[in-house]
Amino acid sequence: MFWGIGKKRHNQQDLFNAMGSMYSSVLFMGVQNSASVQPVVAVERTVFYRERAAHMYSPLPYALGQVAIELPYIFVQSLIYGVLVYAMIGFEWTAVKFFWYLFFMYFTLAYFTFYGMMSVGLTPNYNVASVASTAFYALWNLFSGFITPRTRIPIWWRWYYWLSPIAWTLNGLVTSQFGDVTEKFDNGVRVSDFVESYFGYHHDFLWVVAVVVVSFALLFAFLFGLSIKLFNFQKR
Protein backbone atom coordinates (compact mmCIF):
# COMPACT_ATOMS: atom_id res chain seq x y z
CA MET A 1 0.00 0.00 0.00
CA PHE A 2 1.38 3.38 -0.99
CA TRP A 3 1.83 6.20 1.51
CA GLY A 4 3.25 9.68 1.13
CA ILE A 5 3.47 11.61 -2.12
CA GLY A 6 6.92 10.17 -2.75
CA LYS A 7 5.68 6.59 -2.92
CA LYS A 8 2.32 7.22 -4.59
CA ARG A 9 2.92 6.59 -8.25
CA HIS A 10 -0.52 5.81 -9.56
CA ASN A 11 -0.32 8.58 -12.15
CA GLN A 12 1.85 11.46 -13.32
CA GLN A 13 0.17 13.88 -10.92
CA ASP A 14 1.66 12.00 -7.97
CA LEU A 15 5.10 12.61 -9.44
CA PHE A 16 4.28 16.28 -9.98
CA ASN A 17 3.23 16.53 -6.32
CA ALA A 18 6.55 15.12 -5.16
CA MET A 19 8.46 17.43 -7.48
CA GLY A 20 6.37 20.38 -6.28
CA SER A 21 7.45 19.73 -2.71
CA MET A 22 11.09 19.74 -3.84
CA TYR A 23 10.64 22.89 -5.88
CA SER A 24 8.88 24.89 -3.16
CA SER A 25 11.32 23.87 -0.42
CA VAL A 26 14.39 24.60 -2.53
CA LEU A 27 13.11 28.01 -3.56
CA PHE A 28 11.84 29.06 -0.13
CA MET A 29 14.79 27.84 1.91
CA GLY A 30 17.34 28.94 -0.67
CA VAL A 31 16.06 32.50 -0.99
CA GLN A 32 15.71 32.69 2.80
CA ASN A 33 19.35 31.67 3.23
CA SER A 34 20.51 34.16 0.64
CA ALA A 35 18.45 37.04 2.01
CA SER A 36 19.37 36.41 5.64
CA VAL A 37 23.12 36.38 5.02
CA GLN A 38 23.18 39.64 3.05
CA PRO A 39 22.77 42.17 5.91
CA VAL A 40 25.35 40.29 7.99
CA VAL A 41 27.94 40.36 5.21
CA ALA A 42 27.19 44.02 4.50
CA VAL A 43 27.88 45.03 8.11
CA GLU A 44 30.98 42.86 8.40
CA ARG A 45 32.34 44.23 5.13
CA THR A 46 32.40 47.70 6.69
CA VAL A 47 34.51 46.33 9.54
CA PHE A 48 36.74 44.59 7.01
CA TYR A 49 37.41 47.87 5.19
CA ARG A 50 38.62 49.44 8.42
CA GLU A 51 40.79 46.49 9.38
CA ARG A 52 42.26 46.18 5.91
CA ALA A 53 43.23 49.85 5.98
CA ALA A 54 45.07 49.10 9.23
CA HIS A 55 46.79 46.12 7.53
CA MET A 56 45.13 43.67 9.94
CA TYR A 57 43.02 41.73 7.42
CA SER A 58 43.89 40.28 4.05
CA PRO A 59 41.00 39.94 1.56
CA LEU A 60 41.26 36.29 0.55
CA PRO A 61 41.73 34.76 4.04
CA TYR A 62 38.85 36.94 5.23
CA ALA A 63 36.61 35.74 2.37
CA LEU A 64 37.66 32.13 2.97
CA GLY A 65 36.75 32.47 6.63
CA GLN A 66 33.36 33.95 5.74
CA VAL A 67 32.66 31.04 3.41
CA ALA A 68 33.97 28.32 5.73
CA ILE A 69 31.96 29.48 8.75
CA GLU A 70 28.73 28.98 6.81
CA LEU A 71 29.41 25.33 5.95
CA PRO A 72 28.61 23.69 9.32
CA TYR A 73 25.43 25.75 9.69
CA ILE A 74 24.28 24.70 6.23
CA PHE A 75 25.08 21.07 7.03
CA VAL A 76 22.98 21.10 10.21
CA GLN A 77 20.15 22.84 8.37
CA SER A 78 20.27 20.29 5.55
CA LEU A 79 20.44 17.33 7.92
CA ILE A 80 17.47 18.40 10.06
CA TYR A 81 15.41 19.32 7.03
CA GLY A 82 16.41 16.21 5.09
CA VAL A 83 15.59 13.69 7.82
CA LEU A 84 12.20 15.21 8.60
CA VAL A 85 11.01 15.92 5.08
CA TYR A 86 12.40 12.74 3.52
CA ALA A 87 10.35 10.66 5.94
CA MET A 88 7.21 12.81 5.68
CA ILE A 89 7.13 12.78 1.88
CA GLY A 90 7.72 9.05 1.82
CA PHE A 91 10.69 8.66 -0.48
CA GLU A 92 12.35 5.26 -0.67
CA TRP A 93 14.51 4.57 2.38
CA THR A 94 17.67 3.50 0.64
CA ALA A 95 21.11 4.76 1.64
CA VAL A 96 21.98 5.89 -1.87
CA LYS A 97 18.80 7.89 -2.46
CA PHE A 98 18.91 9.45 0.99
CA PHE A 99 22.55 10.46 0.42
CA TRP A 100 21.69 12.04 -2.92
CA TYR A 101 18.82 13.97 -1.33
CA LEU A 102 21.06 15.38 1.41
CA PHE A 103 23.84 16.04 -1.11
CA PHE A 104 21.71 18.15 -3.41
CA MET A 105 19.99 20.00 -0.57
CA TYR A 106 23.33 20.79 1.10
CA PHE A 107 25.02 22.21 -1.98
CA THR A 108 21.84 23.97 -3.08
CA LEU A 109 21.60 25.82 0.23
CA ALA A 110 25.34 26.45 -0.03
CA TYR A 111 25.18 28.08 -3.45
CA PHE A 112 22.18 30.18 -2.41
CA THR A 113 24.08 31.36 0.68
CA PHE A 114 27.24 32.12 -1.29
CA TYR A 115 25.17 33.84 -3.97
CA GLY A 116 23.79 36.19 -1.32
CA MET A 117 27.32 36.89 -0.11
CA MET A 118 28.53 37.44 -3.66
CA SER A 119 25.72 39.86 -4.46
CA VAL A 120 26.74 41.98 -1.48
CA GLY A 121 30.39 41.84 -2.50
CA LEU A 122 29.62 43.05 -6.01
CA THR A 123 27.31 45.92 -5.03
CA PRO A 124 27.76 49.11 -2.96
CA ASN A 125 25.28 48.26 -0.19
CA TYR A 126 22.73 45.80 1.11
CA ASN A 127 19.74 47.51 -0.57
CA VAL A 128 21.24 47.28 -4.05
CA ALA A 129 22.31 43.69 -3.42
CA SER A 130 18.80 42.74 -2.34
CA VAL A 131 17.18 44.24 -5.45
CA ALA A 132 19.74 42.78 -7.85
CA SER A 133 19.60 39.29 -6.37
CA THR A 134 15.79 39.27 -6.39
CA ALA A 135 15.79 39.85 -10.13
CA PHE A 136 17.87 36.72 -10.63
CA TYR A 137 15.68 34.71 -8.27
CA ALA A 138 12.78 35.42 -10.61
CA LEU A 139 14.73 34.30 -13.67
CA TRP A 140 16.03 31.17 -11.94
CA ASN A 141 12.48 30.36 -10.91
CA LEU A 142 11.04 30.93 -14.36
CA PHE A 143 13.58 28.66 -16.05
CA SER A 144 13.81 26.07 -13.27
CA GLY A 145 12.10 23.38 -15.32
CA PHE A 146 9.17 23.07 -12.94
CA ILE A 147 6.76 25.67 -14.31
CA THR A 148 7.77 24.74 -17.86
CA PRO A 149 9.92 21.62 -18.36
CA ARG A 150 13.03 21.90 -20.49
CA THR A 151 11.48 19.85 -23.29
CA ARG A 152 8.75 22.51 -23.69
CA ILE A 153 10.88 25.62 -23.35
CA PRO A 154 11.40 27.32 -26.75
CA ILE A 155 14.80 26.28 -28.00
CA TRP A 156 16.10 29.86 -28.22
CA TRP A 157 15.49 30.22 -24.44
CA ARG A 158 16.93 26.89 -23.31
CA TRP A 159 20.37 28.39 -22.86
CA TYR A 160 19.09 30.14 -19.72
CA TYR A 161 17.68 26.87 -18.42
CA TRP A 162 21.21 25.50 -18.42
CA LEU A 163 22.41 28.62 -16.55
CA SER A 164 19.73 28.33 -13.84
CA PRO A 165 21.12 26.69 -10.67
CA ILE A 166 17.61 25.69 -9.54
CA ALA A 167 17.12 23.76 -12.78
CA TRP A 168 20.18 21.65 -11.99
CA THR A 169 19.02 21.10 -8.40
CA LEU A 170 15.58 19.89 -9.49
CA ASN A 171 17.21 17.72 -12.10
CA GLY A 172 19.37 16.09 -9.43
CA LEU A 173 16.59 15.67 -6.88
CA VAL A 174 14.03 14.22 -9.28
CA THR A 175 16.51 12.03 -11.14
CA SER A 176 18.04 10.58 -7.98
CA GLN A 177 14.61 9.69 -6.56
CA PHE A 178 12.66 8.64 -9.64
CA GLY A 179 15.08 8.30 -12.56
CA ASP A 180 15.70 4.61 -11.93
CA VAL A 181 12.18 3.56 -10.88
CA THR A 182 10.91 0.75 -13.08
CA GLU A 183 7.37 0.70 -11.68
CA LYS A 184 4.57 1.79 -14.00
CA PHE A 185 1.77 4.32 -13.68
CA ASP A 186 -1.83 3.21 -14.06
CA ASN A 187 -1.63 4.09 -17.75
CA GLY A 188 1.26 1.64 -18.27
CA VAL A 189 4.04 4.23 -18.65
CA ARG A 190 7.17 3.45 -16.66
CA VAL A 191 8.15 6.13 -14.15
CA SER A 192 11.74 6.42 -15.35
CA ASP A 193 10.60 6.70 -18.98
CA PHE A 194 8.19 9.52 -18.09
CA VAL A 195 10.89 11.40 -16.17
CA GLU A 196 13.16 11.17 -19.19
CA SER A 197 10.59 12.03 -21.87
CA TYR A 198 8.68 14.80 -20.06
CA PHE A 199 11.42 16.53 -18.05
CA GLY A 200 14.43 15.51 -20.10
CA TYR A 201 16.18 14.06 -17.02
CA HIS A 202 18.56 11.14 -17.62
CA HIS A 203 19.69 8.96 -14.72
CA ASP A 204 23.06 8.35 -16.39
CA PHE A 205 23.58 12.13 -16.29
CA LEU A 206 23.24 12.28 -12.48
CA TRP A 207 26.95 12.55 -11.72
CA VAL A 208 27.31 15.44 -14.16
CA VAL A 209 24.40 17.20 -12.46
CA ALA A 210 26.07 16.69 -9.08
CA VAL A 211 29.32 18.23 -10.34
CA VAL A 212 27.49 21.24 -11.79
CA VAL A 213 25.59 21.91 -8.53
CA VAL A 214 28.87 21.80 -6.58
CA SER A 215 30.44 24.06 -9.21
CA PHE A 216 27.78 26.72 -8.67
CA ALA A 217 28.62 26.82 -4.95
CA LEU A 218 32.35 27.07 -5.69
CA LEU A 219 31.79 29.73 -8.35
CA PHE A 220 29.72 32.00 -6.11
CA ALA A 221 32.16 31.56 -3.22
CA PHE A 222 35.08 32.40 -5.54
CA LEU A 223 33.34 35.49 -6.92
CA PHE A 224 32.62 36.65 -3.37
CA GLY A 225 36.31 36.40 -2.51
CA LEU A 226 37.28 38.11 -5.74
CA SER A 227 34.83 40.96 -5.15
CA ILE A 228 36.17 41.52 -1.64
CA LYS A 229 39.69 41.69 -3.05
CA LEU A 230 39.00 43.95 -6.03
CA PHE A 231 36.18 46.28 -4.99
CA ASN A 232 36.10 48.93 -2.31
CA PHE A 233 32.79 50.75 -1.97
CA GLN A 234 33.79 52.65 1.15
CA LYS A 235 33.05 56.36 1.00
CA ARG A 236 35.55 58.66 2.61
Side-chain angles (χ1 to χ4, degrees):
M1 183 175 181
F2 292 111
W3 60 276
I5 60 177
K7 287 189 176 180
K8 284 179 62 179
R9 298 170 188 147
H10 298 304
N11 52 57
Q12 287 90 337
Q13 186 60 49
D14 295 326
L15 181 61
F16 292 146
N17 292 342
M19 186 178 181
S21 69
M22 298 173 180
Y23 163 78
S24 58
S25 60
V26 164
L27 193 63
F28 176 79
M29 294 178 62
V31 172
Q32 184 67 27
N33 272 30
S34 180
S36 61
V37 79
Q38 288 178 340
V40 177
V41 174
V43 171
E44 292 182 350
R45 183 176 63 175
T46 304
V47 178
F48 166 74
Y49 286 152
R50 183 187 65 200
E51 298 299 328
R52 181 171 65 175
H55 301 287
M56 297 294 292
Y57 282 0
S58 183
L60 294 183
Y62 167 80
L64 180 61
Q66 286 278 70
V67 169
I69 198 62
E70 296 293 337
L71 298 178
Y73 291 104
I74 297 172
F75 176 76
V76 172
Q77 180 186 17
S78 303
L79 186 62
I80 295 175
Y81 167 83
V83 171
L84 294 176
V85 174
Y86 198 90
M88 293 174 63
I89 291 180
F91 291 130
E92 292 184 21
W93 277 107
T94 64
V96 173
K97 292 196 174 188
F98 183 63
F99 164 79
W100 277 122
Y101 191 81
L102 288 183
F103 176 89
F104 283 112
M105 286 307 303
Y106 177 77
F107 282 101
T108 295
L109 295 177
Y111 73 61
F112 264 107
T113 302
F114 299 153
Y115 173 75
M117 297 166 65
M118 179 199 72
S119 62
V120 172
L122 293 174
T123 53
N125 54 60
Y126 162 68
N127 295 326
V128 176
S130 180
V131 172
S133 57
T134 300
F136 281 96
Y137 298 150
L139 289 174
W140 290 359
N141 178 34
L142 186 61
F143 291 94
S144 65
F146 177 74
I147 299 175
T148 305
R150 177 176 62 83
T151 54
R152 300 189 178 187
I153 296 177
I155 194 167
W156 57 87
W157 277 112
R158 288 185 189 175
W159 63 272
Y160 200 87
Y161 168 88
W162 297 112
L163 293 178
S164 172
I166 301 179
W168 290 94
T169 293
L170 290 181
N171 189 332
L173 288 172
V174 173
T175 303
S176 62
Q177 298 300 318
F178 303 108
D180 61 343
V181 175
T182 57
E183 297 176 17
K184 295 182 178 180
F185 295 119
D186 292 342
N187 60 5
V189 178
R190 195 164 61 177
V191 174
S192 58
D193 291 340
F194 177 76
V195 168
E196 184 174 333
S197 62
Y198 185 81
F199 296 107
Y201 297 162
H202 300 269
H203 193 264
D204 295 338
F205 202 57
L206 185 60
W207 284 99
V208 177
V209 176
V211 170
V212 173
V213 171
V214 173
S215 299
F216 275 117
L218 295 176
L219 174 64
F220 294 150
F222 171 76
L223 291 178
F224 168 68
L226 193 64
S227 66
I228 290 294
K229 180 178 176 60
L230 297 180
F231 301 138
N232 188 342
F233 296 102
Q234 190 177 33
K235 294 182 180 179
R236 299 184 181 276

